[in-house]
């Protein structure tokens, strides 16, 4: 029973941690209920080894604990289907009344269905209008990093991969209802086969640590991957939720963190040497990027490693 109990406890801790984080972040009451019911269902199922440890081979208790998990999950699923039906019915009623703003109705439907927060809804609206992440950050007065985190949450909740899928999901067949910038966004989307090829090439680029090359530019990498700068930049933006410079710098910092954890000798080097080790032109740029990724200055991070 040692291994099952250990795995059960590890899973329970992880589930409770992530569900609590989502529950606190969510502003939608219905979505909170889904998180809570799903969590209770999973916890009751995963707790079976602990139940056996406490109560022994007691079949009624074991079956009750295990079945209760399925019951809660099934109840949550039925409630979810009823909720979906109500949303769809409301949408049909509004459409039958002759509402012309179909795009808004679809957007509201997605917001209600997936439990998007108010800021996620606002960001989604600006994406639909054709704003890039930088323009969104200026429009609603938050950092570009915060925008990217919220965009990732939107994609995760709606189960899509990029902005193109979101726009396609919202857009009506009648493109007269869309503004020219959004239409241009749709028309300029990269064909899936090309996007997939660039992503595969980027994956190989990361594996061979090509990001360590000093002075690496977008044009240079595009030539290396046999594509153009527009396609490469857009693929990184859509699928990595980062611009080119941030993408490269983040790879470098994550690699340096691994080096520092595995090679104690590096911890005694100065920041300038560490910056050069992973391709940065100067210590200042390295420090800024390091703080963005870890939330700590390199000197403070090194001090903590040395103390530990």
């Amino acid at each position: 029973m040692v291994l099952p109990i250990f795995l059960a406890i590890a899973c329970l801790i992880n589930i409770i941690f992530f569900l609590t984080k989502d529950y606190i972040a969510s502003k939608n009451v219905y979505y909170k209920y889904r998180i809570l019911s799903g969590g209770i269902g999973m916890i009751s199922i995963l707790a079976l080894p602990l139940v056996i440890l406490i109560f022994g081979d007691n079949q009624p208790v074991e079956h009750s604990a295990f079945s209760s998990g399925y019951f809660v999950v099934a109840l949550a699923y039925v409630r979810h289907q009823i909720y979906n039906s109500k949303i769809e019915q409301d949408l049909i009623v509004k459409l039958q009344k002759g509402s012309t703003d179909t795009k808004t109705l679809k957007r509201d439907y997605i917001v209600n269905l997936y439990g998007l927060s108010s800021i996620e809804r606002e960001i989604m609206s600006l994406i639909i209008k054709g704003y890039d992440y930088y323009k969104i950050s200026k429009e609603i007065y938050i950092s570009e990093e915060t925008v990217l985190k919220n965009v990732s949450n939107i994609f995760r909740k709606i189960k899509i991969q990029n902005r193109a899928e979101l726009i396609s999901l919202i857009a009506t067949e009648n493109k007269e209802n869309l503004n020219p910038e959004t239409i241009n966004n749709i028309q300029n989307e990269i064909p899936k086969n090309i996007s997939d090829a660039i992503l595969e090439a980027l994956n190989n680029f990361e594996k061979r640590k090509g990001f360590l090359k000093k002075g690496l530019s977008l044009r240079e990498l595009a030539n290396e991957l046999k594509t153009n700068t527009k396609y490469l930049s857009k693929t990184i933006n859509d699928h990595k939720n980062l611009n080119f410079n941030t993408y490269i710098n983040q790879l470098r910092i994550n690699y340096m963190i691994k080096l520092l954890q595995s090679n104690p000798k590096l911890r005694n080097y100065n920041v300038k040497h560490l910056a050069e080790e992973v391709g940065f032109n100067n210590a200042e740029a390295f420090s800024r990027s390091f703080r963005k990724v870890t939330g700590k200055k390199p000197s403070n991070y090194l001090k903590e490693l040395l103390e530990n």
Side-chain angles (χ1 to χ4, degrees):
M1 291 299 293
V2 174
L3 182 60
I5 289 171
F6 175 78
L7 292 173
I9 292 172
C11 288
L12 286 170
I13 291 171
N14 275 284
I15 287 173
I16 291 169
F17 174 77
F18 286 111
L19 289 182
T20 302
K21 189 177 177 182
D22 275 357
Y23 186 86
I24 293 171
S26 177
K27 305 299 180 184
N28 184 289
V29 176
Y30 170 74
Y31 195 67
K32 282 180 178 288
Y33 172 81
R34 283 182 64 189
I35 294 170
L36 191 62
S37 57
I40 292 172
M42 288 302 299
I43 288 169
S44 63
I45 294 169
L46 286 169
L48 185 60
L50 298 175
V51 172
I52 295 172
L53 179 67
I54 296 169
F55 296 99
D57 190 18
N58 190 320
Q59 292 293 318
V61 175
E62 289 173 28
H63 285 295
S64 298
F66 198 69
S67 300
S68 62
Y70 280 104
F71 176 77
V72 173
V73 171
L75 189 65
Y77 177 78
V78 171
R79 191 175 185 275
H80 175 63
Q81 295 304 316
I82 295 171
Y83 182 76
N84 283 357
S85 299
K86 286 181 179 179
I87 294 175
E88 290 172 358
Q89 187 61 36
D90 289 342
L91 187 62
I92 291 169
V93 170
K94 287 178 181 177
L95 289 171
Q96 287 173 341
K97 287 181 179 179
S99 173
T100 56
D101 195 359
T102 312
K103 185 174 63 174
T104 301
L105 292 177
K106 285 189 176 182
R107 184 185 63 213
D108 291 343
Y109 170 79
I110 289 171
V111 169
N112 291 328
L113 180 61
Y114 295 100
L116 301 186
S117 66
S118 57
I119 190 169
E120 288 169 352
R121 175 175 182 162
E122 192 169 1
I123 289 172
M124 185 176 76
S125 299
L126 293 173
I127 290 173
I128 295 164
K129 290 179 181 178
Y131 283 43
D132 60 29
Y133 299 146
Y134 176 76
K135 285 179 70 176
I136 291 173
S137 69
K138 296 298 181 185
E139 181 73 17
I140 57 178
Y141 304 103
I142 60 175
S143 69
E144 193 173 354
E145 186 178 355
T146 304
V147 172
L148 291 171
K149 286 180 181 178
N150 281 283
V151 169
S152 296
N153 287 337
I154 293 169
F155 291 172
R156 176 176 56 80
K157 289 179 181 179
I158 303 177
K159 295 179 177 64
I160 57 176
Q161 297 297 320
N162 52 51
R163 292 181 298 173
E165 291 184 29
L166 176 62
I167 292 170
S168 298
L169 193 64
I170 299 293
T172 60
E173 291 181 7
N174 181 10
K175 291 187 178 179
E176 292 176 3
N177 292 329
L178 298 175
N179 63 53
E181 194 171 0
T182 304
I183 293 173
N184 186 56
N185 238 352
I186 296 172
Q187 291 172 342
N188 287 333
E189 285 304 324
I190 307 171
K192 190 176 185 304
N193 61 324
I194 296 177
S195 178
D196 289 345
I198 294 173
L199 285 172
E200 186 177 351
L202 283 173
N203 187 42
N204 292 330
F205 164 76
E206 292 175 17
K207 285 180 179 177
R208 59 183 169 78
K209 302 177 182 62
F211 50 83
L212 296 178
K213 185 177 181 180
K214 198 169 184 178
L216 181 67
S217 66
L218 177 64
R219 183 173 297 280
E220 186 179 355
L221 182 58
N223 291 335
E224 187 180 324
L225 302 186
K226 295 180 174 57
T227 185
N228 58 56
T229 54
K230 178 183 175 183
Y231 278 4
L232 177 58
S233 177
K234 191 162 182 57
T235 299
I236 293 172
N237 198 277
D238 287 347
H239 294 273
K240 306 290 185 180
N241 291 330
L242 300 168
N243 61 40
F244 172 75
N245 288 331
T246 306
Y247 166 67
I248 296 298
N249 289 342
Q250 195 172 95
L251 289 172
R252 289 170 172 171
I253 296 301
N254 288 332
Y255 180 68
M256 174 50 69
I257 290 170
K258 288 180 181 178
L259 287 179
L260 289 171
Q261 290 173 348
S262 61
N263 187 354
K265 290 182 180 179
L266 280 174
R267 301 171 194 173
N268 297 311
Y269 293 168
N270 59 36
V271 174
K272 184 180 178 181
H273 180 88
L274 296 178
E276 292 175 351
E277 191 78 17
V278 288
F280 280 91
N281 290 322
N282 55 69
E284 290 76 14
F286 173 77
S287 297
R288 283 197 302 271
S289 296
F290 195 94
R291 192 167 185 177
K292 275 186 179 180
V293 174
T294 65
K296 301 173 184 177
K297 292 180 179 179
S299 55
N300 293 339
Y301 186 84
L302 289 169
K303 184 180 178 182
E304 288 180 9
L305 282 178
L306 290 169
E307 287 175 352
N308 291 331

